[in-house]
Structures are given as structure tokens and as C-alpha cells.
Amino acid sequence: MEDRQREALLGECRARKIEPPGRTRVEKIVVAARGKWEKTFCARAIGRLGEAGTDRLLSLVAEDNESGTALLAALKRDPGAVGLDSVLMEITKLNDVRKLGLPEGLFADCSEKLVAAWRARAIKMYPSDFRDTAEDVRIGPRGVSERELAVSR
């Protein structure tokens, strides 16, 4: 993906007939662009969640929240060997996630590869890791305007 972003940047420089930046500057531009895109992506998802959905997700990693921490740990746990007990446990997890009230189609316009990458990132984190991160990493920026979202679409 980064190679495509670099190529797009250099292609834009050629199209505008301007001197392309040096390799170090290209890397900084690509990193900054990816950061801005991630903030926009998060803001769009947060907008779809609404305030109540956002609060429910934040409560999962709140201090002294045994049930939320237990849910996150259960979701991360391997289901084990196929059997009646493991199927019932997975059904319980699914029902617990449904209770969060996440909207249908939350990531409908996102590629499966993107959602898988964010899922992998979250799986590596513990509830304390989420608590220790800035809010924009935990749940996404709330300050991106609708205009910025429209431009990114």
C-alpha cells in the first residue's frame, strides 16, 4: 500500500510538473497522509456509532470494569476444539457483542483487508493498552468536520 501511495505522490508531482521531494520527505508525506486518512476513517466510524455506541465501547476498557474486561478477554480467547461447549461459548460471545448495539453496516464501505488489519491491531492490545492510549487512538477523533469527511469520500 505504501508503494502505491509513494507512486501516487510522485505521479502527482509529474502531472503538475514540479520537482518531486527527496526520499525522506516522501516518507514523511506518506506517513502524514496515512495519519490523516486514519483519523478520517475513525471519525466516520465514530459518527456511525453515535454517542451511545461510543460510550458503550469506551466502557469496555474503563477502569474497574470487570465485565467489559472479561468480554474483551473472552473475545480474544481461542475457541478450542470443535464441540458443543465451544459452539455454545462462541454463541455466547456473539450475543454479548450484539448487546453492544453496533449499527448494521458499520464498516460496509471498507475493504475486508482494512477491517482485518484494524482487527489484528486491536487483538494485540490489552484493556490497559487501550486505556493508556490517547482517545483518538482508542475511539477515533471527534473533531474531524463533516466537510473533511465529505472531501475524503
Side-chain angles (χ1 to χ4, degrees):
M1 178 183 242
E2 289 180 11
D3 290 337
R4 290 191 333 213
Q5 292 169 335
R6 275 187 220 91
E7 280 303 313
L9 173 62
L10 296 174
E12 186 66 23
C13 289
R14 283 190 294 274
R16 293 180 183 216
K17 297 181 179 168
I18 59 174
E19 181 75 24
R23 175 170 288 171
T24 305
R25 185 71 180 138
V26 167
E27 292 306 314
K28 288 180 180 181
I29 292 169
V30 168
V31 168
R34 185 176 46 248
K36 184 175 180 179
W37 181 87
E38 284 182 350
K39 285 183 178 192
T40 303
F41 168 76
C42 290
R44 189 177 305 141
I46 297 309
R48 290 175 183 164
L49 280 173
E51 194 169 325
T54 301
D55 290 343
R56 283 191 297 272
L57 288 179
L58 285 174
S59 72
L60 287 176
V61 295
E63 297 258 11
D64 300 325
N65 183 359
E66 292 297 321
S67 63
T69 302
L71 174 59
L72 287 177
L75 292 174
K76 293 169 77 168
R77 199 172 305 125
D78 185 76
V82 177
L84 180 59
D85 289 339
S86 64
V87 169
L88 293 174
M89 183 60 74
E90 294 304 301
I91 289 171
T92 300
K93 288 185 208 179
L94 180 60
N95 287 331
D96 289 343
V97 170
R98 285 184 175 154
K99 289 177 188 173
L100 291 173
L102 302 177
E104 283 280 324
L106 180 60
F107 300 114
D109 61 346
C110 301
S111 73
E112 289 180 27
K113 189 175 179 180
L114 173 67
V115 174
W118 280 72
R119 182 182 303 123
R121 182 177 172 183
I123 285 172
K124 294 176 186 174
M125 297 176 74
Y126 295 98
S128 59
D129 295 333
F130 283 107
R131 283 192 297 271
D132 292 342
T133 60
E135 184 174 340
D136 64 339
V137 174
R138 250 181 298 157
I139 202 70
R142 296 174 189 235
V144 177
S145 69
E146 281 300 315
R147 183 176 168 277
E148 287 176 304
L149 286 175
V151 167
S152 69
R153 289 181 184 150

